[in-house]
């Protein structure tokens, strides 16, 4: 059995009340950012992931850490899975709107910033955005063979110096253990 399957089965067992939660937030008021409702709910967490939201206590066991959330508001953090933070706003101004609607994490396409700022200034921009309350993840596109031929061998429409700069920036920055490749994109956490 793979680790992903084991994790899914563990979350399901906690949600059904047959497994024990690691953490249980008891007696909170859930803020439903989609419907605008606020209603009583408990939240069960297993291995850092929400496994259950509702009124059941069946997943509370002897090793479950229970936190009294009475009088507190619980709000899920929504994730924007693919975002282009440059059309009619900038990363800072869109954070204000996103946080107000319950979005706490965004996966951002940084291509336009990277092309216009270059590697060094793009990385400075990422560092400047690290202390904001919204968590940003940035992607760098993994290039196709045709793109590689145009930009790294022939200089492309940005010219040889610009393409070498981008190549060096990507190679030097996206080589740490914090980076990962998923769905054909190389990603680095925004903070």
């Amino acid at each position: 059995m793979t680790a992903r399957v084991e994790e899914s089965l563990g979350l399901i067992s906690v949600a059904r009340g047959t497994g024990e939660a690691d953490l249980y937030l008891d007696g909170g008021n859930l803020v439903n950012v989609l419907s605008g409702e606020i209603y009583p709910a408990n939240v069960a967490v297993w291995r850092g992931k929400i496994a259950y939201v509702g009124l059941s206590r069946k997943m509370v066991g002897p090793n479950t850490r229970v936190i009294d959330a009475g009088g507190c508001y619980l709000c899920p953090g929504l994730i924007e899975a693919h975002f282009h933070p440059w059309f009619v706003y900038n990363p800072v101004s869109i954070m204000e709107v996103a946080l107000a609607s319950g979005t706490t994490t965004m996966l951002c396409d940084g291509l336009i910033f990277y092309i216009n700022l270059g590697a060094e200034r793009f990385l400075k921009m990422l560092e400047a955005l690290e202390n904001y309350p919204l968590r940003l993840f940035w992607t760098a596109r993994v290039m196709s063979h045709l793109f590689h031929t145009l930009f790294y061998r022939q200089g492309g429409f940005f010219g040889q110096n610009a393409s070498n700069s981008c190549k060096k920036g990507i190679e030097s920055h996206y080589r740490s253990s914090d980076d990962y490749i998923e769905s054909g994109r190389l990603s680095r956490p925004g903070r």
Side-chain angles (χ1 to χ4, degrees):
M1 186 177 324
T2 68
R4 185 171 269 177
V5 170
E6 283 185 37
E7 179 181 54
S8 295
L9 292 174
L11 288 166
I12 291 168
S13 71
V14 171
R16 294 178 67 198
T18 58
E20 184 177 321
D22 299 325
L23 174 67
Y24 188 81
L25 305 176
D26 189 27
N29 295 298
L30 183 76
V31 178
N32 186 326
V33 295
L34 298 176
S35 68
E37 297 172 283
I38 299 174
Y39 47 86
N42 306 312
V43 177
V45 178
W46 185 75
R47 293 189 181 170
K49 293 187 178 181
I50 296 173
Y52 174 82
V53 176
L55 298 175
S56 176
R57 293 186 53 89
K58 291 192 291 184
M59 65 287 304
V60 176
N63 297 314
T64 302
R65 178 177 172 217
V66 177
I67 295 176
D68 180 7
C72 296
Y73 291 94
L74 309 173
C75 183
L78 302 177
I79 297 173
E80 171 61 53
H82 184 98
F83 186 67
H84 298 261
W86 61 76
F87 289 118
V88 293
Y89 35 73
N90 64 59
V92 175
S93 64
I94 196 62
M95 283 186 208
E96 295 172 3
V97 174
L99 285 167
S101 65
T103 301
T104 61
T105 303
M106 293 177 142
L107 297 145
C108 303
D109 185 332
L111 181 64
I112 297 299
F113 291 120
Y114 194 87
I115 288 172
N116 289 298
L117 298 174
E120 188 175 325
R121 292 190 313 180
F122 177 67
L123 295 175
K124 284 183 181 178
M125 183 189 86
L126 296 184
E127 290 172 12
L129 295 170
E130 286 180 0
N131 295 319
Y132 283 87
L134 191 129
R135 186 167 177 124
L136 300 174
F137 290 87
W138 295 85
T139 61
R141 296 175 189 208
V142 176
M143 297 170 208
S144 69
H145 177 70
L146 175 61
F147 192 89
H148 180 274
T149 301
L150 285 173
F151 285 86
Y152 294 153
R153 293 190 185 155
Q154 299 173 8
F157 59 82
F158 296 116
Q160 188 64 40
N161 291 338
S163 63
N164 283 339
S165 171
C166 287
K167 180 181 178 184
K168 288 177 186 171
I170 289 173
E171 288 175 348
S172 67
H173 185 68
Y174 290 102
R175 295 279 186 210
S176 78
S177 61
D178 293 333
D179 303 334
Y180 60 95
I181 297 176
E182 191 168 290
S183 301
R185 290 179 180 236
L186 180 64
S187 301
R188 172 186 183 264
R191 58 170 144 170

